[in-house]
Amino acid sequence: MRLWMFELRLLLRARLAVIALALLGVLTVAALGTGMAEVSRQRAQIAAIPEAQAEDIAAVADYVVRTEDAGSAAYYSFHPTWDAPSPLAFAALGMRDVSPFILRVRALGLEAQVYDGDVFNPELALPGRFDFAFVLVFLAPLFALVLFHDLTSSEREAGRLRTLEALPVGGRRLWRRRVLLRFALLFAMIAVPFAAAAALSAVPIATTFAVIGIAGAYLLFWTLLALLVARLRWSSVANAATLAAVWIVLVLVLPTLAHVVINRAVPVNQGAEIALAQREMVNRAWDIPREDTMRRFYANHPRWADSPPLTHEFHYKWYLAFHQNGDESVAPLVQKYRAGLERRAALAESLGWVLPSVGVQALLTRMADTDLEAQLAYQDRIRAYHARLREFYYGYLFRDLPFGRADFDRAPKFEEGNQ
Amino acid sequence: MSPVRLIAADELRLMRRNRVAVTAFVLLVLLTLAAALTSWTHQQGIADLRERHQAAAAEAFDAQPDRHPHRVVHYGTFIYRPLSPLAAFDPGVDAFTGSSMFLEGHRQNSANFGDVRQSSLLIRFGQLTPAFVLQIVAPLLLIFLGYGAVARERERGTLRLLMLQGASRGQLVRGKLGALSLVALLVGLPAMIGFALIAGEPGALALPMIVVALGYGIYLAAWVVGIVAVSAAAQRSRDALLLLLGIWAVVAILLPRIAPDVASAAVPLRDRLQTDVSIARDLRQIGDSHNPDDPHFAEFKQSVLDRYGADRVEDLPVNYKGLLALEGERLTSELFDRYSNESYDAQARQNGIINAIGLVSPTIALRSLSMAAAGTGFVGHRRFLEQAEAYRYDVVQRLNQLQADSVSYADDTASDAGADRRKRIEAGNWQAIPDFTYQAPDGAALTARALPGLGIVLAWLVLASLMLWRATRRLGAK
């Protein structure tokens, strides 16, 4: 124990190591702070939905009650959906700054709505966010480099190496002590602030431990790398240069290269095509016999097929039917588009097995539900909700039931899918 | 051979002998070439794709059958954001903004299908472009090659020897500076080759290109001078290396990431839901076109009747429903403009905060300079959005005017079996509507916006030179 205390004192006398550790601690705390601030901003935006929505829908109701036309209600009512941040979202904001977490939809064609974005400043999104994941993936390895690059080489350069090797409590055990002590302090600077933030954010204990485990493994990787380089018995400065070079390759160069390769290998151009094709399909309905539209719709949705036939008067059921036909006609394109996106995400994740930096980022954003997969899952929840909205309005439209003020409250409410 | 050239030649020889340095240098050159090539072909691909989509959208619009003009208002049109030629060098925010937009009546849609929402998490690690390599990776290579330039001589005691042999401090530092500058030139060369490729593109502008080349040149020069300064001031090579790595990590990696958080905390943006609800509220306060007793629209109706000297809307020579559509679109678009300007201004303020932080990070300053000159920053995007909105308004109002002039009020309000046919107008009308053409900014405008960034980068070069001058004066003094 006394030996450990001496080692600690020695370490605390090394100005560089102390500054590095303190700085890492400060950065971790700051990153946790900005992440939590961002997440609470997002929660506040979600909490502000009901008030705005109530005002908006009341105005729509005022207008619709004059005709009690359910189609009018369907046309003018926008229904909010949202994707609340998970407890862990503060640690890895992932794509939450560029993909919408609030989206209002109406019972018209969904393919023209589901890809809409929210307001964000692209220049702010460009460099990426300053969150815990960034400190861990990008910065922590640099601190490991500072702490471990001269562990043995500095003693050699000072001429103390042989003496240390010859000491009764020296040699292997001494190095093990030093490495362990430095690693423990490095790890503590990351893990302790994170554990505190996780507790504040009500992150499940198991998840907290998992993140700390991932962080520990990632730091261990860099530490072992530094020790490997040290075995080459180069000078301190050569060690530092080598480690920095490895860092830039693993953290900056290879991920950006891989991004280019993946996006080349899996082109996704269907997005714009979906929009074009869906619009064409929807608008064509005005120029073809309305019975064709209804026939096609009833073939896919026989439960409404016994609805009274159309007259020459405009009827919203025809309007909503061709919107749904439009959505259904582009379903194959949508599937292809989505498969492309999932393929891209999967390729990046499998790259994570080779590149620790990518692996950690992928794991954290997955656990925090902030990656592309989470965005697609949110879209699925929107789709499911939209289907319920359609059914709700069809119940009035195809049965010619009046839609009064009280019926606005009967509309399905979006429910959060987050556990 | 002057002493300066001798010292420079010697330093270069050392670098050449250093296998790690040579490998790193070759890798960087290859990386830049790869970046230039992929970026260029990628941008070409994007440009082709968007052009194709744009042509298809225009064709589909023109190919519409006879329709009621208001159907066409809802049929809308798609426009695609064109890229500036310099986007191949620095695509800026292109991947972070949607590339296509649906323009229709009554609504302002977001730009969709941007790369950032269609890519894996890797996109947040940065994008491999010549700009990225020069901004982030190249300084690091220069650090590796130059941290020991002077510190090594001091460590090994050769500094004294050199001075005893008659080399002045200035000559020594200038020699080291010359060697590292040459390396920096070679580092910048592949990117400049990519740049030259772009210069052959039609539409490339000379002035912004000069500013970009100048900006990156000054930026790398500032690094070279700073690296030699730190190397001259440090006691040991290791201290020099660690200090330089620290400076690089803060300036190129950390600050650019912290800045957006500072900016978004300082200036909040109104989200889309709140904006839409506010616009709807404001519209209700102006008037309700559906309500026959609404004061605003009653007044509007009266003014129309007065203008034509008619007693009833049925007696007007034009279709009153078309006039109502014109008025409604005018009101909503006014609100759209007000709210989007509010949002753009807030975003501009956020970017102002980032640029202020650029005072302490030349990388941020260079990035904003680069994007401004390439026209790929927020300002360029805003320009596109504003032109898109102006075009949307123009198209919708032309269609509303067609409704007012070419569809009779009697037909427009009829709902008998043949009414739908009578409401439609000639398909030839759709071809008469102009296609969207993006008006690119001229070189002078782009250059003007890049100047503040250029000033900051230049200030950094001056500061680094002052540091070097001080470090040189102290050289050899124990």
Side-chain angles (χ1 to χ4, degrees):
Chain A
M1 196 64 230
R2 271 193 41 218
L3 273 175
W4 284 92
M5 289 310 295
F6 281 127
E7 286 291 358
L8 185 63
R9 269 205 221 149
L10 254 181
L11 181 61
L12 292 178
R13 275 198 212 150
R15 211 171 34 153
L16 183 68
V18 172
I19 291 173
L21 285 169
L23 186 62
L24 179 60
V26 169
L27 284 171
T28 307
V29 171
L32 290 166
T34 57
M36 285 163 95
E38 175 63 26
V39 165
S40 72
R41 244 200 312 275
Q42 296 188 0
R43 282 191 213 281
Q45 275 174 286
I46 290 170
I49 295 175
E51 195 188 342
Q53 181 60 20
E55 176 196 355
D56 206 51
I57 220 74
V60 172
D62 288 343
Y63 166 63
V64 170
V65 289
R66 299 176 202 170
T67 58
E68 296 210 322
D69 184 346
S72 233
Y75 186 91
Y76 290 105
S77 305
F78 285 85
H79 301 267
T81 72
W82 59 92
D83 179 23
S86 69
L88 187 63
F90 72 92
L93 293 165
M95 298 181 69
R96 289 191 67 89
D97 57 341
V98 292
S99 58
F101 53 89
I102 298 175
L103 188 73
R104 293 204 307 168
V105 292
R106 47 181 176 165
L108 276 52
L110 180 63
E111 293 307 322
Q113 307 177 68
V114 80
Y115 306 108
D116 280 351
D118 211 320
V119 179
F120 72 92
N121 180 347
E123 275 194 32
L124 260 55
L126 180 62
R129 297 313 288 255
F130 178 63
D131 54 11
F132 173 77
F134 164 72
V135 171
L136 177 63
V137 171
F138 280 75
L139 301 181
L142 290 173
F143 287 92
L145 174 162
V146 170
L147 286 174
F148 291 104
H149 76 281
D150 64 344
L151 203 57
T152 47
S153 54
S154 66
E155 301 291 4
R156 189 182 316 117
E157 282 154 14
R160 284 191 298 260
L161 189 63
R162 302 220 145 200
T163 321
L164 285 172
E165 299 281 8
L167 283 175
V169 285
R172 275 247 177 105
R173 278 157 60 205
L174 172 106
W175 296 126
R176 208 176 304 147
R177 265 202 310 274
R178 287 198 177 178
V179 169
L180 265 177
L181 185 66
R182 283 179 179 230
F183 179 80
L185 287 172
L186 178 74
F187 180 56
M189 290 302 137
I190 291 274
V192 172
F194 171 77
L200 280 175
S201 307
V203 176
I205 295 289
T207 312
T208 306
F209 274 114
V211 172
I212 289 175
I214 291 167
Y218 185 63
L219 292 174
L220 193 62
F221 165 80
W222 286 101
T223 306
L224 290 175
L225 193 73
L227 297 179
L228 267 180
V229 170
R231 292 189 68 143
L232 298 170
R233 304 184 76 86
W234 291 343
S235 64
S236 301
V237 72
N239 289 347
T242 310
L243 287 171
V246 172
W247 177 86
I248 193 163
V249 169
L250 288 187
V251 175
L252 278 183
V253 176
L254 288 180
T256 50
L257 259 174
H259 170 62
V260 172
V261 172
I262 288 175
N263 280 15
R264 271 298 158 83
V266 187
V268 290
N269 300 326
Q270 293 92 346
E273 282 161 23
I274 293 170
L276 281 165
Q278 196 257 7
R279 173 187 67 152
E280 223 40 65
M281 219 21 230
V282 165
N283 282 275
R284 210 174 58 110
W286 293 89
D287 309 307
I288 58 172
R290 293 185 303 167
E291 288 65 34
D292 294 1
T293 296
M294 297 319 288
R295 239 196 317 278
R296 179 174 174 160
F297 178 80
Y298 290 145
N300 291 328
H301 308 278
R303 66 177 279 212
W304 308 112
D306 58 348
S307 184
L310 293 171
T311 64
H312 59 250
E313 293 256 343
F314 172 83
H315 196 300
Y316 261 114
K317 70 185 173 192
W318 164 69
Y319 185 90
L320 288 177
F322 70 65
H323 269 267
Q324 180 141 17
N325 286 350
D327 276 354
E328 283 160 5
S329 73
V330 294
L333 269 179
V334 173
Q335 287 231 282
K336 257 169 65 183
Y337 179 58
R338 177 159 182 152
L341 298 190
E342 282 174 340
R343 179 109 192 84
R344 281 182 172 185
L347 282 172
E349 264 173 44
S350 45
L351 182 73
W353 292 101
V354 189
L355 284 182
S357 53
V358 174
V360 170
Q361 183 77 24
L363 278 170
L364 288 180
T365 48
R366 183 80 296 272
M367 285 159 68
D369 253 327
T370 56
D371 53 1
L372 186 62
E373 237 170 295
Q375 183 187 312
L376 294 175
Y378 174 42
Q379 279 184 0
D380 285 344
R381 292 200 294 278
I382 295 173
R383 285 179 198 282
Y385 174 62
H386 188 262
R388 286 170 54 214
L389 276 180
R390 269 181 164 146
E391 290 293 300
F392 169 74
Y393 288 111
Y394 291 172
Y396 292 84
L397 272 173
F398 287 85
R399 300 283 176 261
D400 285 316
L401 298 173
F403 196 96
R405 196 176 289 278
D407 295 298
F408 279 91
D409 294 331
R410 295 199 178 96
K413 298 271 177 291
F414 182 77
E415 285 143 19
E416 280 182 53
N418 267 332
Q419 306 77 21
Chain B
M1 284 272 268
S2 71
V4 172
R5 287 188 57 184
L6 271 173
I7 287 165
D10 183 57
E11 182 71 21
L12 286 167
R13 192 175 318 125
L14 251 176
M15 286 184 200
R16 257 209 320 278
R17 280 192 201 153
N18 181 343
R19 270 205 312 268
V20 178
V22 172
T23 314
F25 176 76
V26 170
L27 277 179
L28 183 82
V29 170
L30 287 177
L31 186 70
T32 320
L33 280 174
L37 202 67
T38 57
S39 188
W40 190 63
T41 53
H42 177 67
Q43 300 301 313
Q44 287 291 309
I46 288 183
D48 287 351
L49 188 77
R50 289 184 194 176
E51 239 166 82
R52 264 213 316 280
H53 279 313
Q54 186 69 73
E59 209 171 302
F61 188 88
D62 290 346
Q64 292 177 89
D66 293 3
R67 276 181 174 161
H68 185 292
H70 197 69
R71 294 282 8 105
V72 182
V73 167
H74 282 279
Y75 177 77
T77 186
F78 282 89
I79 60 167
Y80 297 84
R81 194 153 74 96
L83 282 169
S84 76
L86 284 188
F89 176 79
D90 184 356
V93 298
D94 182 64
F96 288 77
T97 55
S99 56
S100 77
M101 227 172 150
F102 180 48
L103 308 178
E104 56 179 328
H106 324 313
R107 281 176 65 77
Q108 220 182 16
N109 292 310
S110 58
N112 294 346
F113 305 112
D115 263 352
V116 69
R117 288 185 59 194
Q118 304 183 144
S119 297
S120 64
L121 63 121
L122 293 173
I123 195 169
R124 305 315 283 276
F125 278 81
Q127 292 175 86
L128 190 61
T129 63
F132 170 79
V133 174
L134 288 183
Q135 286 169 18
I136 313 282
V137 188
L140 199 57
L141 178 78
L142 293 174
I143 288 173
F144 286 147
L145 293 177
Y147 70 87
V150 185
R152 186 185 54 238
E153 308 272 9
R154 185 200 304 253
E155 238 172 4
R156 296 183 183 166
T158 41
L159 186 64
R160 287 273 155 117
L161 281 175
L162 278 167
M163 290 196 173
L164 286 172
Q165 286 169 346
S168 74
R169 294 188 181 103
Q171 284 172 334
L172 174 89
V173 168
R174 278 200 297 277
K176 302 290 183 184
L177 212 50
L180 201 56
S181 301
L182 188 68
V183 174
L185 267 178
L186 290 175
V187 165
L189 205 60
M192 289 301 132
I193 292 171
F195 218 47
L197 281 179
I198 300 161
E201 288 288 293
L205 299 160
L207 211 50
M209 287 187 69
I210 292 168
V211 171
V212 167
L214 203 60
Y216 280 87
I218 295 171
Y219 176 75
L220 290 182
W223 275 105
V224 167
V225 174
I227 289 165
V228 177
V230 170
S231 185
Q235 285 303 318
R236 288 178 301 179
S237 319
R238 192 200 67 164
D239 298 351
L241 176 63
L242 289 178
L243 181 59
L244 286 165
L245 280 180
I247 292 172
W248 175 85
V250 169
V251 158
I253 302 288
L254 186 62
L255 283 175
R257 287 239 188 185
I258 289 181
D261 279 296
V262 174
S264 63
V267 183
L269 293 179
R270 196 199 293 254
D271 64 45
R272 200 160 160 212
L273 181 142
Q274 297 293 342
T275 306
D276 288 351
V277 170
S278 292
I279 288 178
R281 181 191 311 130
D282 292 352
L283 266 180
R284 282 196 299 277
Q285 281 166 356
I286 293 171
D288 176 359
S289 62
H290 298 293
N291 179 2
D293 311 324
D294 178 81
H296 175 88
F297 283 94
E299 201 178 305
F300 172 74
K301 188 165 151 184
Q302 200 49 54
S303 73
V304 170
L305 292 174
D306 292 349
R307 199 181 336 148
Y308 289 99
D311 294 334
R312 301 181 316 153
V313 289
E314 287 81 355
D315 304 339
L316 289 170
V318 287
N319 174 0
Y320 181 66
K321 278 184 82 171
L323 297 184
L324 260 186
L326 279 161
E327 173 70 0
E329 196 65 44
R330 186 183 69 77
L331 292 175
T332 49
S333 298
E334 248 175 37
L335 288 171
F336 290 155
D337 284 347
R338 190 188 329 146
Y339 278 90
S340 53
N341 279 330
E342 201 178 276
S343 180
Y344 297 153
D345 292 343
Q347 291 177 54
R349 276 201 303 281
Q350 289 182 332
N351 296 335
I353 292 173
I354 291 186
N355 291 337
I357 295 173
L359 286 170
V360 288
S361 164
T363 307
I364 293 179
L366 179 73
R367 201 184 61 199
S368 79
L369 168 163
S370 180
M371 286 196 294
T376 52
F378 166 73
V379 175
H381 184 56
R382 177 177 182 171
R383 188 186 169 91
F384 165 75
L385 292 175
E386 283 175 343
Q387 286 186 22
E389 173 56 23
Y391 177 72
R392 184 195 74 83
Y393 184 67
D394 178 61
V395 169
V396 170
Q397 293 300 56
R398 279 169 191 261
L399 292 166
N400 286 334
Q401 195 63 55
L402 280 171
Q403 184 183 357
D405 297 338
S406 312
V407 184
S408 79
Y409 184 71
D411 287 342
D412 220 354
T413 47
S415 59
D416 57 283
D420 179 62
R421 189 55 251 161
R422 295 199 307 277
K423 289 177 194 180
R424 293 171 182 246
I425 64 168
E426 262 295 285
N429 284 301
W430 321 139
Q431 285 134 41
I433 300 219
D435 291 343
F436 177 71
T437 44
Y438 173 69
Q439 301 298 321
D442 59 8
L446 291 173
T447 309
R449 273 199 295 274
L451 290 180
L454 193 66
I456 295 177
V457 179
L458 200 57
W460 275 94
L461 178 58
V462 172
L463 189 72
S465 307
L466 283 174
M467 273 172 49
L468 180 60
W469 178 72
R470 278 197 51 183
T472 307
R473 278 190 35 199
R474 292 194 187 162
L475 209 57
K478 282 277 176 176

